[in-house]
Amino acid sequence: MEVGGILAPGAAISTLIKQWHQGERLMVEVVQKTAEGTGTIKVQGQNLSALLESTTTVGDKFWVKVGNVSEGSLLLVREPLVEKLAGIPVPPQQLKQLTERGLPINQEIISLLKSFPTANTGLLSTLLTSLQGTPLEGLMMNLRKAIPKWEGLSENTGAEKLVECLRKLGLNYEQRIQNLMTLDPQAKEVEKNSLQETFKFALLKALQGQDGLVNHDSEEILTNLLQKLTGQQLWIKTGALDNAYLLLHLPLLNQEQFVPTQIAIESARNGGKMDEQHCRVGIQMDTLQLGQVGIDAYFYEDSVTFRVLTDGHLPTQLLEEALPETRTQFAKLGFNLTKIETGELGQNLEFQNFLQGSRRSGVDIQR
């Protein structure tokens, strides 16, 4: 139930700025929403146009406080749903991210959560280069085998290969260890052998046993990689309140080169799963022809709308050629592609923030 990017006529904003004061507490109500994620909110009897998160529904009400007030703009910040914990030096936004993910608050977890979204997504390429010719080269080659190739992600098996990659990396490592306690002896032995095939097991073994760590630099490299892997685990399918959130740095291989891919998904909850019919999906990756490309998609009921974001001009002919096949593929999944737009990746700060784990937490009213 997040709202952001509120729009209103300039005259209306000027009036609101004069009426409302910083720190003032106001009630926001969602009164209308479209499939494209736009809608209307009501504040003190006045309707304002808004961009709405996929999980926001008509009738939602929540308290906000007036934040920064400046000429021509006004920010309404949604009140956190939890009490601030005494003695924990966490910035308010970070506190909210932690508590909504149901995680214990300690400095190590805070550090992992804060550093992972902004981590260098090209780390794996750097590691392969730095570890070539060392005793740890075999470790990185095993990692390469676990990562799927872009050309091998077919319509029928692509999803299975991606899930298998996450499993081989060891992103459910601790969960599987916990589940060992419930298995019979034979199944437990099989699972233990399977755990030893994960990349996280190999990392832990190398660090704990100092296998092949010829110098401090090697140890630091593997420690950083282990922290990135653990940080990734903390950001997968998280959230403890109404929304589920997933942030993923997915490695892919294209012509034997690592392609950094970032994925963020926020959705309503469907039992213990994410609700694929009410969600927002953000994807950013490097391409050979267009450079970095971002996809910002909104799924609502049986429809989907999205924007294609690039750093340069996206050829209209290329988009028109891809559109029929794109509509067909979404139709196979049960979604009707209702609108597609283009935009500049570097100028879309809200999309970049979404890929770094920052959810819309306020009402931003601007001219």
Side-chain angles (χ1 to χ4, degrees), residues 226-240:
L226 180 61
Q227 289 176 343
K228 180 175 175 62
L229 200 62
T230 304
Q232 174 68 91
Q233 290 176 254
L234 295 175
W235 280 96
I236 285 188
K237 203 173 180 181
T238 53

Side-chain angles (χ1 to χ4, degrees), residues 33-304:
K33 181 179 180 181
T34 69
E36 288 76 22
T38 61
T40 305
I41 64 167
K42 179 178 290 185
V43 184
Q44 290 190 338
Q46 181 160 344
N47 288 345
L48 302 172
S49 299
L51 297 176
L52 304 175
E53 273 298 322
S54 56
T55 54
T56 306
T57 58
V58 173
D60 286 346
K61 296 181 180 180
F62 48 88
W63 287 99
V64 298
K65 283 187 177 181
V66 178
N68 296 329
V69 179
S70 59
E71 183 178 355
S73 66
L74 177 67
L75 178 66
L76 305 182
V77 182
R78 182 176 179 177
E79 288 189 344
L81 301 178
V82 295
E83 296 289 336
K84 183 176 180 180
L85 300 182
I88 304 296
V90 186
Q93 178 62 29
Q94 191 65 34
L95 175 65
K96 183 177 180 182
Q97 289 182 356
L98 287 171
T99 52
E100 287 194 355
R101 284 161 174 75
L103 298 170
I105 299 178
N106 62 52
Q107 291 303 318
E108 183 177 0
I109 288 181
I110 290 172
S111 176
L112 288 169
L113 281 171
K114 291 176 65 176
S115 62
F116 175 77
T118 57
N120 177 16
T121 54
L123 176 64
L124 294 181
S125 296
T126 304
L127 283 174
L128 281 179
T129 301
S130 62
L131 296 179
Q132 285 180 353
T134 74
L136 294 173
E137 184 176 15
L139 177 67
M140 299 311 298
M141 296 313 295
N142 287 337
L143 172 62
R144 179 184 285 272
K145 293 178 182 179
I147 295 176
K149 296 182 178 181
W150 176 258
E151 58 270 22
L153 298 179
S154 67
E155 177 183 344
N156 296 326
T157 64
E160 294 179 4
K161 289 184 178 181
L162 293 180
V163 172
E164 182 61 21
C165 168
L166 301 182
R167 183 178 176 87
K168 288 180 179 179
L169 290 176
L171 295 186
N172 58 350
Y173 188 82
E174 285 76 9
Q175 181 184 7
R176 293 173 65 184
I177 290 178
Q178 185 178 16
N179 291 339
L180 279 175
M181 309 303 294
T182 64
L183 301 178
D184 61 60
Q186 183 176 358
K188 183 180 296 185
E189 192 64 26
V190 172
E191 180 68 351
K192 285 173 61 177
N193 292 334
S194 179
L195 278 170
Q196 292 177 9
E197 296 175 359
T198 65
F199 183 67
K200 184 159 189 177
F201 174 86
L203 269 177
L204 291 169
K205 182 180 178 182
L207 285 167
Q208 294 176 2
Q210 304 296 304
D211 293 347
L213 300 184
V214 295
N215 53 49
H216 177 72
D217 290 340
S218 296
E219 182 178 359
E220 183 178 3
I221 289 173
L222 295 192
T223 298
N224 290 338
L225 185 56
L226 180 61
Q227 289 176 343
K228 180 175 175 62
L229 200 62
T230 304
Q232 174 68 91
Q233 290 176 254
L234 295 175
W235 280 96
I236 285 188
K237 203 173 180 181
T238 53
L241 299 177
D242 54 332
N243 289 5
Y245 187 91
L246 179 151
L247 182 62
L248 178 65
H249 290 178
L250 180 69
L252 294 175
L253 283 173
N254 185 19
Q255 299 180 7
E256 297 304 315
Q257 297 296 317
F258 279 106
V259 179
T261 305
Q262 300 178 64
I263 302 173
I265 305 175
E266 184 177 14
S267 79
R269 293 185 179 279
N270 185 5
K273 300 180 180 180
M274 303 186 85
D275 185 353
E276 62 184 23
Q277 291 186 308
H278 302 86
C279 67
R280 178 187 183 185
V281 179
I283 303 174
Q284 181 173 296
M285 67 181 301
D286 292 334
T287 67
L288 294 176
Q289 301 299 327
L290 299 175
Q292 280 198 333
V293 175
I295 302 293
D296 196 6
Y298 289 84
F299 294 81
Y300 186 79
E301 302 297 346
D302 60 351
S303 67
V304 58

